[in-house]
Amino acid sequence: MNKRLAWLGVGLNQQLWRYFRHLRDDEVEEVYKGSVKTTMRLLGVNREVASATDKQLSSIDLEAEDEKIERLQINFVTRADRSYPESLRNLYDKPAVLFFKGDLNESNDVVAMVGSRKSTAYGRTIAREIASSLAEAGITIVSGMARGIDSAAHKGALEQGRTVAVFGAGIDKIYPPENRDLAKEIEKSGAIISEYPPGTPPRALNFPGRNRIIAGLAKVVLIIEASKRSGALITADFALEQGKDILVVPGSIKSAVSAGCHGLIKDGAGVIESADDVLELLGCERVERKETQQVLSEGETKVLANVDYYKTHVDTIIKDDGRSEQKVLADLSMLQAQGLIKKQVGGWYLRVR
Amino acid sequence: MLCVVKSAAIVGLEAYQVEIEVDISKGLPVFTIVGLPDAAVQESRERVRAAIKNSEFEFKANRVTVNLAPADMRKEGPSFDLPIAIGLLISAGQLKPDSRLDQYWMVGELSLTGDVKPIKGALSIAIGAAERGVKGLLASPENAREAAIIDSLNVVPVRNLSEAAQFLSGEKHIEFQKKDDSNAGQRVSENDYSDIKGQFQARRAIEIAAAGGHNMLMIGPPGSGKTMLASGLPTILPELSPEEAIDVTKIYSIYGNDGEKRGLIWKRPFRSPHHTISFTGLVGGGQKLRPGEITLSHHGVLFLDELPQFGPSILQTLRQPIEAKEITIARASGNLTYPASFMLVCAMNPCPCGYLGDAKKECTCSLGKIQRYRSRVSGPLLDRIDMQVEVARLTKSDLMQCTPGEKSEEIRRRVDSARAIQRQRFSGNHVLNSQMSASQVRTFCKISNESKTWLNRALDKLLPTARGYDRLLKTSRTIADLSGNEEIELADLAEAIQYRSVGGGEIL
């Protein structure tokens, strides 16, 4: 028995963890070794709970669990390890164990990017763009790998650099399932992390816990799109608690998925318009991006002028253009192919660049 | 005494000759019909007995045997009433027919008063009679109007049994029914496209689909006008050719288009079955062998609203007729083929609540729900749909601002000229761009090297799920035909891509 394995035992029993979170490393070991009385004293619980806890802890063969986790090719760090992320050390309820795949290297600045699962194309485009620029500047993007903004942020970061995903389930249970490939990619350059033991299914009550780790890992939390009751706001709360900066990307005042963001702005969160704003806050060098000037035909220029950055319906574009449907539709395809606009569900187009 | 009268019955859409042998002999008064009659044929005994009595003939109590030959085919319906009654009268010696008896087929249901009523499928019977060189047909006035479409046949309208008897004995001269051309070229246009405001992309898509006969899928929230857009299609499709009109009329004649004026149907069919439709309702068959909705939309449009609500097995059955343009129904007694060359137009909501991507209303569906909803439409069916287009609800200000759209008439002119180009291309065969085979696509849908490079570069961005490259080319071909381009140009291809890529791939 060592401190590392002792914490692993606690980490494998999520329901016990709340009794342990205030303990020092040597105290955990003591709980394992000592009598029920010691447990009662250290955890501050009654005899009943203490004996149940002891029973639960002793029922696990830690050596075997360690091996099992190794066989799954999953790594873990505990509070007792020197490699435990520094950024989490100061959390009052830092996880006992972090299971991870990939590399926990902390040499880069970390920015968290979170947002709504039900995002708009605008939000996803912005998330991807900013994540990509930040990653290019050598910043690690941490997010929750949920659908929508989270996935977009990871994808953007992967284009240029490193990203870390924090799961609300065991890291062998990739959720949502369509992100399986994404998780593999993230693992290669960054890491996927979870405080929940392998095999834990994705449960709603696990996600706030995950958000505290996301906020904990980051220096700055960036919120792209969040509705009034979005989980992204929980991350923002954790960030506030931990004294981190919160930055918000504003949206349309009519968009329900930006309402939460606008609430944060009213409460005093910073507004950003580009990745450069974040870099400035972090005191990083801006990265000079080379703009490739595309040559557009007369018709394409006209159509592009009618597509705005939020969204414009195809019929409006046709009406405003004045030329025949066929010409406008063909130009829309051309602009799409050049990556200047994007098509969205419902016949909407938005300008990307 | 024995007597033979000729009549006809229908299998599928084709008529075959039925010889009705009537024998009266001495014995106990019995009236039997043999030759696999169904219940309606059996009941014909009662109608015939009463009709004869009420037409001032005498029904003598004797042993009557009626045989419907060929005896191995199942006979259905009341169409043999008239020939059985005539046969009985001749056998009983109450009617002395002249030589014309052998040259005429007769069909008709009898009422107890002796009136002749219309039956289903008169046109098929008339066609069958003409093919066999039969001289004429005796039928009810309604049926006669329908049968008169066939020029080579003398169609005699008979209002009741006595009239039929008098005609056959030569006592009374009845004028042959004249062909009624009054509704030739008539297209009913309740839904003119000028009534539809805005919807520019959808209108354009409909025009292309009509020009090339492409199957299409419209995706849009409730109230966006999908049904209206689809139901206007018959007004912009080319007029039915005389042969096509006969095909259509034949089908509706057998289906029993009660209430509609009996004459040649010149209007392109538009069928819109409800999603609760049964398997037989859609493909045809059933105990009484009737054509299904896909056959009823032959040469026309089959519109499936709320596509995902149709059962998966129902949608599966559509695959064969879409490819083969006909449906073969296997029965214990043999296979039966109905024609089913239709243009498939489907409509669906973007998500279960219907408002995904709507300008005003927020969608309330979870992503899982949306995925499940969309996956109800199987890939193989989608693979047979060339064009997909999203339709949006118009806002109030759109409705106020938009000027009325183009008239159907004008759109049809363009469709007609695009079809003329296609007829020339496929040297007169009835092949549309949508029906091209893989080798025809290679021959007729060549694209320039410039377009090829562009497509290779752009395809990732435009069509993340690149399925159906051929369908893209077919649609491009039609777009080129509409603009009169000999070769498919880059712009044609670029436009066609708009009908292959439905937005939202990213959220889903």
Side-chain angles (χ1 to χ4, degrees), chain A residues 118 124 147 256 313-315 318-319 325-326 329-330 332-334 336-337 339 342-349, chain B residues 199-201 204 357 359 363 365 367 390 392 398 401 454 458 461-462 490-491 494-495 498-499 501 503-504 506:
Chain A
K118 258 199 191 162
R124 288 191 300 273
R147 293 187 173 112
H313 197 266
V314 58
D315 286 338
I318 294 172
K319 199 173 77 185
E325 292 90 339
Q326 63 193 101
L329 289 168
L332 282 171
S333 288
M334 304 306 273
Q336 252 178 296
K342 259 180 156 176
K343 192 176 189 180
Q344 296 305 323
V345 68
W348 299 95
Y349 283 88
Chain B
Q199 309 287 23
F200 305 107
Q201 191 190 12
R204 169 75 180 160
C363 165
C365 308
L367 288 158
E390 284 172 302
D398 283 336
Q401 279 173 13
W454 179 81
K461 281 211 181 70
L462 297 173
L490 182 53
E495 191 191 348
Q498 292 290 329
Y499 310 112
S501 61
E506 213 178 291

Side-chain angles (χ1 to χ4, degrees), chain B residues 457-478:
Chain B
R457 221 157 16 96
L459 218 53
D460 291 344
K461 281 211 181 70
L462 297 173
L463 296 174
T465 52
R467 284 173 89 160
Y469 180 63
D470 272 16
R471 266 166 300 141
L472 180 70
L473 290 180
K474 288 178 188 174
T475 314
S476 313
R477 184 65 262 173
T478 306

Side-chain angles (χ1 to χ4, degrees), chain A residues 215-230:
Chain A
L217 285 170
K219 256 191 176 170
V220 174
V221 175
L222 202 57
I223 297 176
I224 316 288
E225 274 188 325
S227 57
K228 278 257 185 267
R229 313 182 45 151
S230 169

